[in-house]
Amino acid sequence: MTAYPHLLAPLDLGFTTLPNRVLMGSMHTGLEDGRKHFTAMAAYFAERARGGVGLMVTGGFAPNIEGWAKPFAGTLATQGAARRHREVTGAVHAEGGRIALQILHTGRYGYSPLCVAPSRIQSPISPFTPRELSARGIERQIRAFVRCASLAREAGYDGVEVMGSEGYFINQFLVTHTNQRSDEWGGSYTNRMRLALEIVQRVREATGPDFILIYRLSMLDLIPDGSSWDEAVQLGEAVVKAGANILNTGIGWHEARVPTIATSVPRGAFAWVTKQMREALHARGVTVPLVTSNRINTPEVAEQLLADGHADMVSLARPLLADAHFVVKAREGRAQDINTCIACNQACLDHAFQNKLASCLVNPRAVRETELVLRPAVQRRRFAVVGAGPAGLAAATALAERGHEVDLYEGSDRIGGQFNMACRIPGKEEFSETLRYFGRRLEATGVRLHLRTRASVQALMASRPEAVILATGVTPRDPRIPTDEGAPVLSYVDVLLRGAPVGERVAIIGAGGIGFDVAEFLVTPPGHSTTLDLPAWLAEWGVANPAEVRGGVVPPRPTPPARQVTLLQRKAGKLGKGLGKTTGWIHRAALQMKRVEMIGGVNYERITRGGLFVSFGEARKDGQLIECDTVVLCAGQEPLRELEAPLRAAGLVVHRIGGADEAAELDAKRAIDQGTRLAAML
C-alpha cells in the first residue's frame, strides 16, 4: 500500500509503460550549452533517474542556429552532436530511467540577430527584431525539427518534447498577435496551426510509432489577443491525431505580466486549466494522457490533482532540482524528508538569465553532482557550528552526513535565524518548508542541537573541536539618521520577528530585498495571503477562464492595501533594480497594485515625530516631510563576528560562513552553498 496510489501508478503508452505519473519538466540549466558539460549532464540526469522519476525531459535544444536561445546555445543538428548525447542517455538507461529531448525553437524570443518568426515583430523581451520567414524558410524550419527528432532517437533518447507553448516559435504562428501573414501560414486558424501539425506529423513519420512524442500545448497564453479556448482545444485534438501521445501543459507566454512559477503563486494554481482541457478532449473522444504543471512541489499536492481528475501526469521541474529523490522518498513513505522547492528562482532561473549554470538555493548540489560531493569522512572529527540560520544548518547537516560529530549552537529557541522572517512575508510561506527539511536533517544525521545557548569561548574550547564554524549571521545596520526623541522608529527585525505595532502611514528606509518584503508585509491585511487563496490570487493578477476570455487575461482586481506605504532609497533610478531577474518585476508590480509610493535619490535628513524629512540630490534641495506614523529601517546589515577574534586568540581554527562572512542582504543562496561547500572540504 502507498499513500500516493495515483502518483505512483504506471502509465501505459501502448508501446511502453512508464513506472509512475511523474514527468521531470524541461529546465534550462546551462549544461545544454557546451560540449564540456555532457559528463556533468549525464550525472545530473542519472541521479534523478535513480530517484525514480517516470520520464525526464531535457532542457531545450534548438533544431538549428536560427532557433538558438542565444549564440552557441545547445543545438542538436548533426550526427556528431548525437554521438555526444549518448553519454547522457546511456547514464540514464543504466539507472533504469527514461529521457526525452526537448526541441526548442525560440523564434522571436531568440537573443540573437539570426532569430526568425512568422512576422517581423520584435519581442518585448529581446533586443533583436526577427527576420520574417518565407514559405520556403518555414519548410526549412520544419525539416530542422524532424532532423532534430531523428537525431534524438539516434542518440538513444526515448522520445522528444516539441515545445509549442510559452510564446516560442510554434506558439508565435498560432496567434494574430505575432502572426500577421496572409499566405497559407497565416490568416485563418486552420492556417496558423498548420506549422504545429506539420511538425508533429512529420516527426512521428520519421521516428516511428514506438517513440514518445510529447507536445507542449499552450492552454492559457495570458496575453491579450492570445488563443481562444476553442482554438486551444482544436489544436490539442489535431496534434494528437497527428501523432502526439502525451500533451504537456503550457501556461503563459514569457512576455506575459502574470507570474506563473514564483513562490507567491499558489500551489497547483493552473491545474484547473489542464482539467478543463482534459474534459474537453474526452468529450471529443481524445483520451491521450495530459500533464499538468506549475507549482506542484509536494507528493500530497500531486496525488490530489491526479485523484481529482485534473490530469494523468504531473510535471515537476524545480522540485527535482531541490530533491532528486523526490519519487523514491514518496514511494518509501518518507515524504517528510523531501527537500521542498520553495519556488524562489534565485539559483535556477535567475542564473539562467545571467548565463550561469543553474543550481538550487535549497540544494546547491543540483547541477553540480560531479563537483560538489559529500564523501564519507576518512576520520571522524568533532566540529562546532555557531548559529542555526541557513548557513549553519547547511554546514552542520553536511558535516554530520559525512560522518563527523557536530554540535550546533543557537541562541534563540528555534532554528532558522533570519530566515524565519522570510516565512512571515505574504507570498513566501513556502520558505518554512526549508526549515522543516533542515529540522528533519538535524535528527537524521545526528547533529547535537543546543537551542537557547549562546556559545562562549570557554565552552567552545572545552568541547575541543577540530574547528569552529561561525554562522552567527548579521545585525541590522544603523544608518545614523538624526532622530528626535520619541520619534516612531523600528527596525525590520522589530516588525517581522518581534511583532512591534506599526501605524497606518509608513516610510520604509531602504529598497533592497528586505525593504520590498517589509512593504509587502505591511500592505497585506493580517491573516490574508493570496498565495493561500487561489480565487483571490487569480483576481489579483487578472487571470480569467480562457473559455470565457481570449488569452485568459483581464484587468487585475487587487485588494485594497492595509496601510499607506512609502518606499525610499538613496540611489537614484528604479527601485528594486537589484532584485532577481525573474521575480523583481513581480515584487514591483505587486507593490504598485497596492499603491506603494516609490522614491529614489533621497537624502535622509531627520526623523521627527511627524515623519521623515528628506531632501534630493547632492545639493540637498527641495526638502520635504513625508508624513508618517512609523519609520522602518531596512538600511542593510553588518556581520556578527564578536566571537572570531577571541577564538583565534585561543588557538582555535575558525571559519566564517553566511552573513557572518559577508553581510549582503539576507542571501540564503550564498549561505547554504557556502556552508555545504565548506563541509565537503573539511
Side-chain angles (χ1 to χ4, degrees), residues 171 175 218-223 225-228 250-253 256 551-552:
N171 218 169
V175 303
S218 187
M219 301 185 189
L220 183 64
D221 288 346
L222 296 177
I223 59 165
D225 302 320
S227 294
S228 72
I251 298 294
W253 286 37

Side-chain angles (χ1 to χ4, degrees), residues 138-215:
I138 292 171
E139 176 61 29
R140 282 198 302 271
Q141 304 307 313
I142 296 171
R143 287 202 300 266
F145 271 89
V146 176
R147 181 182 63 230
C148 186
S150 299
L151 289 170
R153 175 148 202 169
E154 185 178 317
Y157 285 99
D158 301 285
V160 293
E161 177 176 78
V162 174
M163 176 46 119
S165 67
E166 265 83 344
Y168 289 118
F169 182 65
I170 296 174
N171 218 169
Q172 291 160 24
F173 272 80
L174 294 172
V175 303
T176 56
H177 178 65
T178 47
N179 183 348
Q180 297 178 3
R181 304 176 70 96
S182 57
D183 61 2
E184 65 270 27
W185 301 99
S188 70
Y189 190 67
T190 301
N191 286 354
R192 284 183 276 126
M193 72 175 187
R194 182 181 165 196
L195 177 73
L197 302 186
E198 288 278 350
I199 289 171
V200 171
Q201 182 178 334
R202 293 200 217 173
V203 165
R204 174 55 72 202
E205 290 171 354
T207 57
D210 58 342
F211 191 65
I212 298 170
L213 203 172
I214 308 165
Y215 184 83

Side-chain angles (χ1 to χ4, degrees), residues 362-397:
V362 301
N363 175 25
R365 288 197 63 247
V367 196
R368 307 289 193 283
E369 286 77 14
T370 59
E371 169 198 336
L372 182 50
V373 182
L374 298 178
R375 294 184 175 87
V378 175
Q379 180 180 352
R380 181 177 171 86
R381 301 178 185 277
R382 187 170 191 174
F383 292 93
V385 181
V386 184
L393 291 168
T397 54

Side-chain angles (χ1 to χ4, degrees), residues 40-170:
M41 184 159 49
Y44 164 71
F45 282 115
E47 181 151 338
R48 279 136 190 94
R50 280 194 298 277
V53 179
L55 175 63
M56 296 179 288
V57 181
T58 69
F61 284 87
N64 57 19
I65 62 175
E66 292 168 319
W68 270 344
K70 61 183 180 182
F72 308 105
T75 309
L76 179 55
T78 66
Q79 289 186 318
R83 285 193 294 273
R84 289 189 289 275
H85 278 266
R86 283 197 167 275
E87 183 176 3
V88 176
T89 58
V92 168
H93 293 153
E95 298 293 345
R98 290 175 175 84
I99 186 166
L101 178 132
Q102 186 189 74
I103 307 175
L104 171 64
H105 191 307
T106 57
R108 74 178 193 145
Y109 280 172
Y111 206 86
S112 161
L114 302 176
C115 64
V116 295
S119 300
R120 194 177 186 277
I121 303 172
Q122 186 179 354
S123 156
I125 62 174
S126 171
F128 299 99
T129 300
R131 174 171 57 85
E132 180 175 320
L133 286 166
S134 65
R136 183 178 297 179
I138 292 171
E139 176 61 29
R140 282 198 302 271
Q141 304 307 313
I142 296 171
R143 287 202 300 266
F145 271 89
V146 176
R147 181 182 63 230
C148 186
S150 299
L151 289 170
R153 175 148 202 169
E154 185 178 317
Y157 285 99
D158 301 285
V160 293
E161 177 176 78
V162 174
M163 176 46 119
S165 67
E166 265 83 344
Y168 289 118
F169 182 65
I170 296 174

Side-chain angles (χ1 to χ4, degrees), residues 25 155 262 327 425 520 602:
V327 179
I425 307 303
E520 187 74 40
V602 303

